[in-house]
Amino acid sequence: MDMIRIGIIGTTGVLLAVQFKRGKEEYGVYISLAVSLIIFSYVLGHMGAVVAAVKMIGDYIHMDTAYIGTLIKMLGITYIAEFSSGICKDAGYQAVAVQIEIFGKLAVLVLSMPVLMALLGAIRDFLS
């Protein structure tokens, strides 16, 4: 049912934004931003279920909680980067959108380094 609501909100917002783009282009951007924030708030409401599921998976396979926290942070970084980049692209600022995407990718890379180092250490110990 939530997907139907999100679809209706998104479609209505886009149709309104298109109507305003002909006369006052900035109103179309504002409407697009408002609709995006409404959908973002719905996503945040469902993130609790995703976090709980990831923690439950971590309990089943007895992973270190630091890895689960890192995974959730990566998920948040990628979602926020895509969200921000999309808004910038809609507003016509592709260069800013690309920079946000690059920063998001680098932030995920930096966040994944401890996991990569632990994996390499485990491989080294296995081969020794």
Side-chain angles (χ1 to χ4, degrees):
M1 193 62 169
D2 284 337
M3 189 59 226
I4 293 172
R5 276 190 216 139
I6 295 299
I8 290 171
I9 290 170
T11 305
T12 304
V14 167
L15 291 175
L16 280 171
V18 167
Q19 286 298 104
F20 279 104
K21 258 195 168 167
R22 292 189 186 125
K24 295 273 189 174
E25 189 171 330
E26 62 272 7
Y27 290 151
V29 173
Y30 297 147
I31 290 171
S32 173
L33 180 63
V35 169
S36 296
L37 289 174
I38 290 169
I39 293 172
F40 184 71
S41 69
Y42 269 99
V43 169
L44 288 180
H46 292 288
M47 283 301 286
V50 173
V51 170
V54 169
K55 285 184 179 180
M56 189 178 357
I57 291 169
D59 290 342
Y60 284 137
I61 60 175
H62 303 293
M63 282 179 55
D64 187 10
T65 57
Y67 297 136
I68 295 171
T70 301
L71 180 65
I72 292 170
K73 287 177 187 175
M74 287 178 181
L75 180 66
I77 288 170
T78 55
Y79 185 76
I80 291 171
E82 284 295 317
F83 177 78
S84 303
S85 173
I87 289 175
C88 291
K89 285 179 183 175
D90 285 347
Y93 294 97
Q94 282 79 12
V96 176
V98 169
Q99 294 302 316
I100 291 171
E101 290 173 359
I102 290 172
F103 182 80
K105 291 172 185 175
L106 287 175
V108 168
L109 179 67
V110 167
L111 199 58
S112 68
M113 280 300 164
V115 177
L116 179 63
M117 296 307 290
L119 177 64
L120 291 175
I123 292 171
R124 183 186 64 215
D125 293 342
F126 180 71
L127 294 176
S128 299

